[in-house]
Structures are given as C-alpha cells and as structure tokens.
C-alpha cells in the first residue's frame, strides 16, 4: 500500500513484518516523549500477531524516507455504544523530530482517513494529552469536532461508496492484507481498484 505524498524520497505505506524492530524503536521514543512508562522489551514480538495475523486487531502505517522509518500511525476498528456505530480509534501518530514540519503528520492523518473510509467507517477518534500543545495545534488545523467522551476528538473520514454489508449484500471476508489506504498510481480509479483486488490489497 503506497501513498504518493509528492515529497522526494519519501512514501507512506502499510507496515510489513520486517518493519517491526523499527516500529518498536519509534514506539519507545514516542512513549518517552509522552511521559509514559517504558515499552516492553519484546514489543516487536508482541505487535507481530496484532498487526499481521489473519484477522489483525490493529493496523500500522509508516513513513519511509530514504530507507528509514521516520514516522508511524496505528489505528483500530472500535465500537461506540453511545453512537451505536463503528469508528476508527487513532492510537498513535508521530513523526521523528528532525522531520517535523515537513508535512508528514498531515499526510499520515490523511492516509488514516483513507483507511477508515475503505472500512466503511465515518469517523476517526483520538485523545491528546492536555500538555502537548504542539499536537493540539496540529489536530486543531485538521478541524476536529468534540468526541463523544471527555477529552476525545473526532474527524470525519473520506466519503466513500457504501461497502457491500451496508447495502444489503453479503459481507466479504476481510483480507489480512487490507492494512492501509489504496495505492496512488496513474490510471483510472476503477482500473486501480481492479488491480488492487487482484493483488489482494
């Protein structure tokens, strides 16, 4: 899964198992920045089944620039009792400090919105610590709405055609490779989608 951001030497794509050590390092740095406790030493091994099993519990997008991972976003499909609907919970979104201000954060958030729309979900929700003013400003520029719970924020996903299970047709079995936004390639949307389906992506 690739998203052409228009930036040289960089791409947003779905994570693959080989990325796990680098993702674990990014998680450790993110946790330290968020003033949280240290991540488990075996975090990479723990994340493997969650992200890459036949029925993944969560998904991860990464920013790769010149062969190095410089950012990531993780999200999962959740259910809101108060809204009686599914939503995407954005658990983490971070770009390493040397590359902040280059637009990668906005591009990651856009990619998560694409992924939510593919799953037929209307909203993304997240929470930001009150002290993290830079993150609050970042999300404020995206135009979020107050979420259903205290301190949460919500953002509409892309408008996409209703998936089969919302139009009365049988729901297709979810593919394990369905881990991110569609590839951005030249050609018509229908042709791209046909190729994606044929490739199992």
């Amino acid at each position: 899964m690739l998203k052409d951001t228009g930036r040289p030497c960089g791409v947003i794509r779905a994570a693959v198992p080989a990325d796990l050590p680098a993702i674990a390092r990014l998680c450790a740095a993110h946790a330290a920045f968020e003033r949280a406790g240290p991540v488990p030493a075996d975090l990479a091994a723990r994340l493997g089944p969650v992200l890459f099993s036949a029925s993944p519990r969560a998904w991860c997008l990464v920013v790769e620039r010149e062969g190095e991972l410089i950012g990531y976003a993780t999200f999962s499909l959740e259910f809101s009792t108060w809204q009686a609907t599914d939503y995407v919970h954005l658990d983490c979104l971070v770009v390493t400090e040397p590359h902040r201000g280059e637009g990668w954060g906005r591009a990651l958030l856009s990619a998560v919105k694409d992924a939510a729309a593919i799953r037929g979900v209307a909203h993304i929700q997240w929470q930001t610590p009150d002290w993290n003013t830079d993150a609050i400003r970042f999300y404020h520029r995206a135009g979020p709405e107050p979420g259903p719970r205290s301190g949460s924020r919500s953002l509409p996903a892309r408008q996409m055609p209703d998936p089969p299970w919302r139009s009365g047709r049988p729901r297709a079995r979810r593919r394990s490779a369905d881990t991110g936004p569609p590839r951005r390639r030249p050609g018509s949307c229908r042709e791209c989608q046909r190729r994606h389906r044929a490739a199992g992506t």
Side-chain angles (χ1 to χ4, degrees):
M1 304 289 178
L2 299 175
K3 183 181 179 73
D4 181 3
T5 63
R7 296 173 179 79
C9 305
V11 67
I12 292 176
R13 60 172 175 79
V16 297
D19 295 323
L20 284 169
I23 292 171
R25 290 192 293 271
L26 288 171
C27 289
H30 190 192
F33 176 79
E34 291 276 1
R35 306 174 187 176
V39 302
D42 61 344
L43 179 61
R46 294 189 186 196
L47 285 174
V50 175
L51 299 176
F52 303 115
S53 67
S55 298
R57 179 66 185 84
W59 297 270
C60 180
L61 301 174
V62 295
V63 182
E64 183 178 3
R65 187 176 186 274
E66 297 180 346
E68 177 188 7
L69 298 192
I70 62 169
Y72 78 104
T74 53
F75 58 96
S76 58
L77 190 63
E78 306 292 348
F79 179 78
S80 169
T81 303
W82 293 357
Q83 303 295 318
T85 189
D86 292 334
Y87 68 94
V88 159
H89 171 65
L90 177 61
D91 187 49
C92 296
L93 189 154
V94 70
V95 175
T96 56
E97 189 169 0
H99 298 285
R100 291 173 190 166
E102 296 177 358
W104 291 113
R106 293 192 301 274
L108 266 175
L109 185 58
S110 177
V112 173
K113 291 171 67 176
D114 287 343
I118 288 172
R119 288 161 177 79
V121 178
H123 283 84
I124 303 165
Q125 294 184 25
W126 68 90
Q127 292 178 301
T128 306
D130 292 339
W131 58 264
N132 194 343
T133 55
D134 288 342
I136 291 172
R137 282 195 297 269
F138 165 76
Y139 288 116
H140 179 73
R141 288 193 291 270
E145 306 165 354
R149 295 184 182 273
S150 177
S152 69
R153 294 293 182 267
S154 177
L155 190 67
R158 307 284 189 210
Q159 295 298 316
M160 301 283 281
D162 280 348
W165 59 89
R166 294 190 187 278
S167 60
R169 288 174 287 174
R171 180 172 181 170
R173 183 177 179 181
R174 180 166 54 188
R175 298 186 296 270
S176 61
D178 185 14
T179 54
R183 288 191 178 104
R184 299 296 180 87
R185 299 295 192 192
S188 70
C189 293
R190 290 184 179 178
E191 177 64 15
C192 289
Q193 292 170 4
R194 185 189 66 77
R195 292 177 181 174
H196 298 163
R197 289 194 295 270
T201 57

